[in-house]
């Protein structure tokens, strides 16, 4: 159903996009513009849009309603008669939005002519379900504010209609994201436009999967402030055997459970090329606006067999120009009630203050708007011990945080605007893992420094307890100025800005009893991990400068053209502050353009570069310990045993580690064949080079061997070693260093279609589909699973190594939504069918006995062997199959499931919803080499009740602005 891209999709798509951009950005002869009107440039001044805002039920005019053009900085308030007027609106297809306290927001698509004035009357209702054109899904033609890249806009009405516990449930409305039932079970992360494949080679060293890279590269911005996971050190490194038990989001993106859906006003998902304003991104931007300003008090209660949630949001205006908003959300999920005692809970609260100097109108002189927010959250995840199943195994996490942010906006006459944003984030991450472990009798040392030590023998069962205490911090400042330079050929919006970020972790680190470590594997060379203080890790300072220009003009014959071009420079500093010299810097050019040759057709394309900052864990990994056994005298009598070990410590830091860089290209078309019908198709290609994985670098250690005397058994005492050592040999080791050594490529298509309502059935159909192919390529050396034996057995002179591994995955998801709407009843019934048309993964690498690339010596030297010589007799010991790969195609058999939601308005602004996720309880079939298991969660159903606690007023604040 979804055709594959050509053999070289990235090059060809980039070429097509560049050609389109070059052709569409050409300037028209001045005489063509002069012929269109007396001014010679009707597109320069734009068009005036005016009308009246009325109550849909009473038809009474509404004053102080905020009206704006989506994606532009054009906004105004309706006057005492409900009249509004917007000037300078560019020609072409636009979306007019209106919002007022006590009413549901409304949107109206409009085709703006080349010149003149048009009249568009708008209606608001207390409940969106009573409006005839209610939108309960993401708008396929929506535009993020100030952005031209492909985006999905999810308004408050769609958020309220979506049974959602966190931001993740809201993001299910965009193409390519599989729905999941509401709840808090499991860390929730999102990666845009990526199939979550992994590589066995990277997993050997605890490296990232494609899902990790994508989620870490997806930027989440709340209320203009980026969230970051770069200072999260909640990981045990490449050797940790228990890291999968810790409910931590280290190595990936932000845990979306901390962002409750009830407090979100609007979500904008930029899947295409973002403007130069956004950095620390390789996989798209998610912009979240929380509810602020005067908000009608609303209580929402949610319950199903697994999750219970309650939220309260309220805001009021005081002292004429100020507003205070309060929200609180409390939720708890039991993933398997009656089976386990596991549970997750969340407490989130926010206090927002808004000051509007002259009501925030761009037409007023020196308008000042000041937004300040204090946000607090706590997410707990408990997995208590189950003695009847796995005695001794338990884990929990306590992730909490607070953020204080403020944003000041000064608007001067003429439209110039100056923004200053600052925030400070405090995090508190606590995780605990306990497990029953068994290890055989082995020599052991607990040294924390280098040197030789007489060890002891430890063996048998024990309970390992592992504590992770992190305190991540983020300080952020951004200054931005926006102005409209005079340009005779069109309207222009220029943004100039700069950012400063500093991230660090003041936590106690990971702590455990060295004698009872969380690892049990010890081969006599690779030592156990040691406790580590996070507070000793240097901070991560970065800075950025950017310029972004958006131009709207008319081509010949009145064809509107929009072009957005920007340049960004991100700098990773080497020292502790921003005045230190650069460790790495990356310039990023970005270009988007759209043109509407006719009113029902819009063509767009974009190309650009983006970059991701490495995290603290990648810049400063934990030191790696090697405990080499010099003497291992083991007897039945413990009193006669003797162990001597030399401890070596190697710093795994890579001084050359820098940004991950991505090139993106996309081209799309939007067709509106008739009113209320839209079809959009986008082809994209993203390539991230230098994604951070682990590079195993061979070295060697010097192992001393000692002779000893008094070694007669039965004496009840250990023998005596003779100094100095009788001889020494070399022991090969591998140091796992973070490196920019992975390449992540994704390409595919996204299709969205919204069809007009069938009048007789009051039903319309919406379809969203995506086909994606992802390749995660590691080009570094793989030493295979037999390297451990090579380390300890001095009789093995060399060991083969292999070069390169690729894991490829394909996924085709299609979502069908049937929306039955009865405005007179305030009723909406939504049936969602999620179809997995295709999903598979496979490792691509040579596995036969001639696939090796060379060999490593006991001194850690790499010796390549030409392919033509690998069959020679002298290399017979190297011809062994490469193991540990999944070269057979595996995946999910094509299948589908159904979810249903019914929403009914009542009491003016109230809403009662009932939902059934996977209503037919289809299990799906996950087939890997003949193995089948459940793919989808079982049937989950529940209800949600929203109660208005106050009446709407004609004199309230306009609420959150555009």
């Amino acid at each position: 159903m979804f055709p594959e891209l050509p053999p070289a999709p990235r090059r060809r798509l980039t070429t097509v996009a560049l050609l389109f951009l070059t052709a569409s950005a050409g300037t028209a002869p001045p005489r063509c513009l002069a012929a269109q009107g007396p001014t010679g440039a009707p597109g320069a001044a734009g068009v005036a849009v005016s009308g009246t805002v009325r109550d849909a039920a009473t038809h009474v005019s509404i004053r102080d309603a905020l009206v704006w053009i989506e994606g532009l900085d054009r906004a105004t308030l309706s006057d005492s008669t409900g009249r509004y007027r917007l000037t300078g609106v560019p020609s072409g297809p636009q979306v007019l939005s209106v919002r007022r306290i006590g009413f549901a927001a409304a949107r109206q698509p409009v085709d703006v002519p080349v010149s003149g004035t048009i009249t568009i009357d708008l209606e608001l209702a207390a409940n969106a379900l009573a409006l005839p054109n209610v939108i309960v899904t993401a708008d396929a033609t929506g535009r993020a504010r100030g952005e031209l890249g492909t985006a999905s806009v999810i308004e408050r009405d769609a958020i309220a209609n979506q049974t959602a516990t966190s931001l993740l449930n809201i993001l299910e409305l965009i193409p390519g994201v599989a729905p999941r039932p509401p709840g808090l079970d499991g860390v929730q992360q999102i990666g845009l436009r990526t199939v979550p494949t992994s590589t066995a080679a990277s997993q050997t060293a605890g490296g990232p999967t494609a899902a990790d890279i994508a989620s870490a590269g997806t930027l989440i911005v709340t209320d203009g402030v980026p969230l970051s996971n770069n200072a999260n050190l909640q990981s045990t490194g490449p050797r940790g055997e228990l890291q999968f038990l810790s409910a931590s989001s280290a190595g990936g993106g932000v845990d979306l459970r901390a962002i409750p859906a009830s407090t979100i006003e609007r979500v904008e998902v930029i899947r295409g090329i973002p403007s130069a304003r956004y950095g620390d991104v390789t996989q798209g931007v998610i912009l979240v606006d929380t509810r602020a300003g005067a908000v009608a008090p609303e209580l929402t209660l949610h319950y199903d067999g697994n999750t219970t949630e309650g939220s309260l949001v309220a805001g009021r205006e005081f002292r004429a120009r100020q507003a205070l908003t309060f929200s609180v959300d409390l939720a708890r999920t039991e993933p398997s009630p009656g089976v386990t005692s596991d549970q997750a809970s969340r407490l989130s609260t926010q206090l927002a203050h808004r000051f509007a100097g002259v009501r925030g109108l761009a037409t007023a002189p020196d308008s000042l708007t000041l937004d300040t927010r204090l946000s607090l959250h706590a997410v707990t995840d408990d997995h208590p011990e189950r003695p009847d199943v796995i005695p001794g195994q338990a884990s929990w996490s306590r992730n909490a945080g607070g953020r204080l942010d403020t944003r000041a906006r000064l608007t001067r006459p003429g439209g110039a605007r100056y923004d200053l944003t600052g925030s400070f984030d405090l995090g508190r991450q606590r995780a605990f893992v306990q497990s029953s472990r068994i290890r055989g009798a082995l020599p052991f040392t607990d040294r924390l420094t280098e040197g030789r030590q007489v060890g002891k023998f430890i063996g048998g069962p024990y309970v390992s307890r592992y504590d992770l205490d992190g305190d991540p911090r983020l300080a952020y400042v951004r200054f931005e100025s926006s102005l409209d330079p005079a340009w005779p050929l069109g309207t222009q919006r220029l943004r100039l800005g700069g950012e400063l970020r500093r991230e660090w972790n003041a936590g106690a680190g990971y702590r455990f009893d060295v004698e009872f470590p969380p690892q049990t594997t010890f081969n006599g060379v690779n030592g156990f991990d040691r406790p580590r203080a996070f507070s000793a890790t240097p901070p991560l300072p970065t800075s950025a400068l950017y310029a972004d220009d958006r131009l709207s003009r008319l081509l010949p014959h009145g064809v509107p053209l929009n072009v957005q071009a920007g340049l960004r420079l991100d700098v990773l500093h080497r020292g502790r502050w921003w005045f230190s010299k650069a460790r790495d810097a990356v310039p990023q050019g970005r270009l988007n353009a759209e043109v509407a040759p006719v009113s029902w057709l819009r063509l767009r394309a974009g190309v650009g570069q983006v970059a991701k900052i490495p995290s603290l864990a990648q810049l400063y990994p934990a030191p790696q310990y090697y405990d080499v056994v010099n003497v291992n005298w083991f007897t039945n009598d413990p009193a006669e045993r003797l162990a001597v070990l030399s401890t070596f410590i190697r710093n795994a830091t890579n001084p050359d580690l820098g940004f991950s860089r991505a090139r993106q290209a996309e081209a799309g078309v939007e067709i509106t064949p008739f009113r209320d019908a839209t079809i959009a198709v986008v082809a994209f290609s993203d390539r991230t080079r230098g994604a951070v994985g682990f590079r195993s670098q061979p070295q060697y250690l010097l192992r001393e061997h000692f002779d000893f005397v008094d070694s007669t058994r039965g004496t009840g005492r250990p023998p005596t070693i003779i100094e100095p050592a009788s001889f020494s040999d070399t022991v090969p080791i591998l140091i796992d260093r973070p490196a920019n050594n992975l390449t992540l490529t994704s390409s595919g298509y996204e299709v969205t279609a919204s069809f007009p309502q069938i009048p007789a059935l009051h039903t319309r159909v919406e379809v969203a589909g995506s086909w994606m192919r992802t390749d995660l390529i590691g080009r570094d050396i793989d030493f295979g699973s037999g390297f451990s034996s090579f380390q300890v057995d001095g009789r093995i002179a060399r060991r083969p190594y292999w070069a390169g591994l690729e894991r490829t995955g394909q996924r085709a998801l299609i979502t069908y939504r049937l929306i039955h709407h009865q405005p007179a009843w305030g009723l909406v019934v939504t049936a969602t069918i999620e179809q997995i048309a295709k999903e598979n993964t496979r490792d691509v690498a040579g596995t036969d006995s001639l696939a090796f690339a060379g060999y490593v010596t006991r001194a850690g030297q790499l010796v390549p062997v030409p392919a033509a010589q690998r069959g020679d007799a002298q290399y017979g010991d190297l011809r062994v199959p490469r193991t540990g790969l999944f070269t057979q195609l595996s995946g999910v058999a094509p299948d589908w499931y159904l979810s249903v939601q019914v929403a009914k308005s009542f009491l003016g602004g109230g809403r009662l919803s009932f939902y059934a996720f996977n209503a037919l309880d289809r299990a799906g079939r996950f087939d890997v080499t003949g193995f089948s298991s459940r793919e989808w969660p079982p049937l989950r159903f529940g209800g949600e009740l929203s109660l208005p606690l106050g009446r709407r007023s004609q004199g309230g604040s306009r609420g959150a602005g555009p």
Side-chain angles (χ1 to χ4, degrees):
M1 185 169 193
F2 292 84
E4 298 193 9
L5 290 176
R10 290 174 294 274
R11 293 194 303 271
R12 296 185 184 181
L13 182 55
T14 303
T15 303
V16 170
L18 283 172
L19 289 174
F20 170 81
L21 292 171
T22 303
S24 61
T27 57
R31 62 179 182 273
C32 296
L33 291 174
Q36 296 174 2
T39 65
V47 176
V49 180
S50 62
T52 304
V53 183
R54 293 187 175 89
D55 189 317
T58 64
H59 302 291
V60 174
S61 61
I62 300 175
R63 67 180 177 90
D64 285 344
L66 177 66
V67 184
W68 76 94
I69 297 294
E70 285 192 2
L72 299 174
D73 294 324
R74 299 287 187 273
T76 188
L77 292 178
S78 60
D79 60 19
S80 59
T81 64
R83 295 285 300 175
Y84 75 91
R85 180 179 174 84
L86 287 168
T87 59
V89 180
S91 302
Q94 305 290 351
V95 177
L96 194 63
S97 290
V98 57
R99 179 180 296 154
R100 176 63 164 81
I101 175 64
F103 294 88
R107 306 171 71 250
Q108 178 64 54
V110 56
D111 183 26
V112 180
V114 173
S115 62
T117 301
I118 60 172
T119 300
I120 303 293
D121 292 332
L122 303 170
E123 289 187 339
L124 293 175
N127 195 300
L129 302 183
L131 293 173
N133 58 344
V134 62
I135 297 178
V136 297
T137 61
D139 181 14
T141 62
R143 287 291 178 269
R145 301 186 188 103
E147 301 289 319
L148 280 183
T150 300
S152 296
V153 177
I154 307 173
E155 296 285 354
R156 179 61 204 169
D157 295 340
I159 296 171
N161 190 73
Q162 182 81 354
T163 304
T165 303
S166 68
L167 175 61
L168 182 65
N169 298 122
I170 298 174
L171 298 177
E172 297 168 0
L173 297 176
I174 66 177
V177 177
R180 60 185 290 180
L184 304 174
D185 37 337
V187 174
Q188 298 178 0
Q189 297 173 341
I190 186 71
L192 302 176
R193 289 180 169 177
T194 301
V195 181
T197 61
S198 62
T199 68
S202 65
Q203 290 174 339
T204 301
T209 66
D212 293 331
I213 295 172
S215 61
T218 298
L219 177 65
I220 299 178
V221 180
T222 62
D223 301 313
V225 179
L227 301 182
S228 174
N229 208 38
N230 295 331
N232 184 356
L233 294 172
Q234 303 294 95
S235 175
T236 57
R239 296 184 183 178
E241 298 174 9
L242 295 182
Q243 54 186 327
F244 68 93
L245 290 176
S246 178
S248 166
S249 56
V254 174
D255 189 351
L256 302 184
R257 294 181 298 178
I259 307 176
S262 60
T263 61
I264 298 177
E265 179 70 27
R266 173 185 169 101
V267 177
E268 302 171 354
V269 183
I270 306 172
R271 307 191 306 279
I273 292 89
S275 67
R277 167 187 274 184
Y278 301 109
D280 195 27
V281 57
T282 53
Q283 297 291 140
V285 183
I286 300 173
L287 307 175
V288 179
D289 291 341
T290 59
R291 307 179 76 174
V295 178
E298 183 180 65
L299 174 67
T300 302
L301 303 173
H302 169 94
Y303 176 78
D304 61 37
N306 301 79
T307 300
T308 303
E309 181 182 10
S311 65
L312 173 65
V313 180
R316 62 171 299 177
E317 186 181 61
F318 64 97
R319 295 183 181 177
R321 296 177 182 177
Q322 299 186 59
L324 196 64
T325 310
F326 172 76
S327 65
V328 61
D329 184 280
L330 180 63
R332 186 182 71 172
T333 293
E334 298 180 26
S336 303
V339 179
T340 69
S341 299
D342 296 354
Q343 68 174 24
S345 61
R346 177 190 64 209
L347 173 62
S348 175
T349 183
Q350 184 182 85
L351 184 65
H353 174 265
R354 168 165 292 173
F355 169 78
V358 195
R359 289 193 177 271
L361 286 179
T363 57
D366 292 344
S367 166
L368 175 65
T369 302
L370 182 64
D371 283 309
T372 303
R373 287 177 172 85
L374 175 63
S375 306
L376 303 171
H377 75 271
V379 178
T380 65
D381 202 339
D382 291 324
H383 302 270
E385 181 181 356
R386 299 176 63 192
D388 56 326
V389 180
I390 308 178
Q393 182 168 304
S395 67
W396 53 255
S397 68
R398 307 279 188 270
N399 291 338
R403 184 183 68 189
L404 177 64
D405 64 80
T406 183
R407 178 166 53 176
R409 174 180 296 176
L410 175 64
T411 303
R412 303 296 306 276
R417 193 175 72 189
Y418 305 93
D419 291 84
L420 179 62
T421 302
S423 72
F424 184 67
D425 286 50
L426 289 174
R428 188 176 187 272
Q429 300 173 327
R430 300 292 183 266
F432 155 78
V433 180
Q434 176 181 292
S435 182
S436 295
R437 316 291 286 168
I438 300 177
R439 75 180 155 209
L442 51 82
F444 180 83
T445 177
D446 58 0
R447 286 188 67 95
L448 300 178
T449 59
E450 288 196 324
R452 194 169 70 237
Q453 176 177 316
V454 175
K456 50 187 174 180
F457 286 89
I458 298 179
Y462 68 98
V463 176
S464 169
R465 178 188 173 102
Y466 195 98
D467 292 278
L468 285 149
D469 294 349
D471 295 320
R473 306 285 189 260
L474 167 63
Y476 175 82
V477 177
R478 182 183 71 233
F479 176 77
E480 182 178 279
S481 62
S482 304
L483 60 154
D484 298 326
W487 197 56
L489 301 180
T491 59
Q492 193 174 10
R493 189 67 171 175
L494 177 65
R495 293 188 302 197
L496 303 173
E499 288 182 346
L500 295 176
R501 296 169 56 149
R502 189 174 190 264
E503 302 175 68
W504 69 100
N505 197 308
Y510 48 81
R511 300 174 289 110
F512 56 90
D513 188 333
V514 179
E515 190 168 320
F516 303 104
Q519 301 160 262
T520 60
T521 301
F522 176 54
N523 67 345
V525 176
N526 294 329
F528 297 110
D529 282 339
R530 305 293 203 268
R532 181 195 185 200
F534 293 159
S535 57
T537 303
L540 170 59
T542 58
S543 61
L545 294 172
Y546 61 88
D548 180 74
D549 193 13
R550 178 164 175 171
L551 169 68
S552 300
R553 60 154 300 177
L554 294 177
L555 297 177
H557 309 294
V559 175
L561 169 70
N562 289 297
V563 178
Q564 186 171 26
L567 180 64
R568 181 183 179 94
L569 176 66
D570 280 287
V571 179
L572 171 62
H573 296 273
R574 191 174 297 277
R576 304 178 66 90
W577 295 95
W578 303 290
F579 48 77
S580 60
K581 64 181 181 179
R583 174 179 181 144
D584 191 15
V586 52
Q588 305 152 62
R590 303 173 191 176
L591 177 64
N592 284 285
E594 67 175 20
V595 61
V598 291
S599 61
W600 51 268
L601 175 65
R602 179 158 57 178
L603 305 174
R604 50 193 175 84
V607 293
Q609 292 183 324
V610 289
K612 174 74 180 70
I613 302 168
S615 68
L616 275 179
Q618 295 164 342
L619 287 171
Y620 304 103
Q624 294 179 8
Y625 287 77
Y626 298 89
D627 298 322
V628 178
V629 177
N630 308 110
V631 173
N632 181 12
W633 178 257
F634 186 84
T635 67
N636 292 331
D637 185 355
E640 297 178 358
R641 298 173 184 171
L642 175 64
V644 179
L645 302 95
S646 294
T647 297
F648 301 86
I649 305 174
R650 293 294 180 264
N651 187 352
T653 300
N654 182 355
D656 297 325
L657 191 71
F659 286 94
S660 302
R661 294 162 166 81
R663 292 182 179 178
Q664 299 181 324
E666 67 171 11
V669 57
E670 294 178 7
I671 303 173
T672 308
F674 37 86
R675 183 178 177 84
D676 298 330
T678 303
I679 300 174
V681 181
V682 178
F684 66 90
S685 176
D686 301 338
R687 182 180 180 87
T688 301
R689 297 174 295 109
V692 180
F694 283 98
R695 172 174 296 152
S696 296
Q697 294 184 337
Q699 291 186 9
Y700 74 93
L701 303 175
L702 195 63
R703 173 171 51 189
E704 297 177 315
H705 293 262
F706 295 89
D707 291 333
F708 38 83
V709 296
D710 302 328
S711 57
T712 305
R713 299 177 185 271
T715 62
R717 62 179 182 273
T720 302
I721 65 172
I722 300 175
E723 296 274 9
S726 58
F727 70 96
S728 301
D729 64 359
T730 57
V731 178
I733 63 170
L734 298 176
I735 299 179
D736 298 318
R737 299 185 188 276
N740 301 108
N741 63 341
L742 296 178
T743 299
L744 180 68
T745 65
S746 291
S747 57
Y749 303 92
E750 294 172 341
V751 180
T752 56
S754 178
F755 301 100
Q757 179 174 279
I758 304 173
L761 302 177
H762 296 279
T763 301
R764 71 176 188 270
V765 177
E766 296 188 359
V767 180
S770 70
W771 175 89
M772 291 180 289
R773 174 189 171 95
T774 293
D775 296 284
L776 181 55
I777 305 169
R779 303 193 184 280
D780 268 324
I781 292 173
D782 177 20
F783 292 91
S785 58
F787 192 83
S788 179
S789 300
F790 173 56
Q791 286 182 305
V792 298
D793 192 346
R795 297 170 297 179
I796 304 176
R798 57 187 182 180
R799 168 74 187 172
Y801 66 82
W802 296 264
L805 174 64
E806 177 179 355
R807 186 164 177 99
T808 180
Q810 298 183 66
R811 171 185 286 177
L813 293 178
I814 310 172
T815 303
Y816 310 88
R817 287 187 174 90
L818 283 75
I819 304 168
H820 177 76
H821 184 204
Q822 295 279 0
W825 301 349
L827 174 68
V828 171
V829 180
T830 306
T832 303
I833 299 175
E834 181 79 11
Q835 179 187 0
I836 299 180
K838 186 176 187 179
E839 182 169 341
N840 57 59
T841 59
R842 184 196 319 222
D843 287 333
V844 180
T847 58
D848 59 88
S849 60
L850 293 177
F852 70 94
Y855 63 88
V856 57
T857 68
R858 299 203 62 79
Q861 295 179 330
L862 297 177
V863 180
V865 177
Q869 300 178 16
R870 294 171 191 171
D872 295 351
Q874 60 177 320
Y875 301 120
D877 59 317
L878 303 178
R879 290 194 290 270
V880 295
R882 187 179 185 181
T883 59
L885 304 182
F886 300 95
T887 55
Q888 293 183 349
L889 190 68
S890 62
V892 178
D895 210 340
W896 61 272
Y897 65 93
L898 168 70
S899 297
V900 179
Q901 177 164 316
V902 180
K904 176 71 172 69
S905 65
F906 71 103
L907 297 178
R911 182 191 301 243
L912 177 63
S913 301
F914 171 83
Y915 79 95
F917 177 87
N918 195 3
L920 303 179
D921 197 22
R922 296 179 67 88
R925 291 175 295 150
F926 186 78
D927 185 15
V928 182
T929 63
F931 176 75
S932 295
S933 65
R934 188 178 191 102
E935 169 66 10
W936 300 313
L939 166 67
R940 185 179 296 186
F941 60 90
E944 190 170 272
L945 175 65
S946 295
L947 296 172
L949 302 181
R951 297 184 303 172
R952 66 178 184 269
S953 167
Q954 287 288 331
S957 168
R958 63 183 174 87

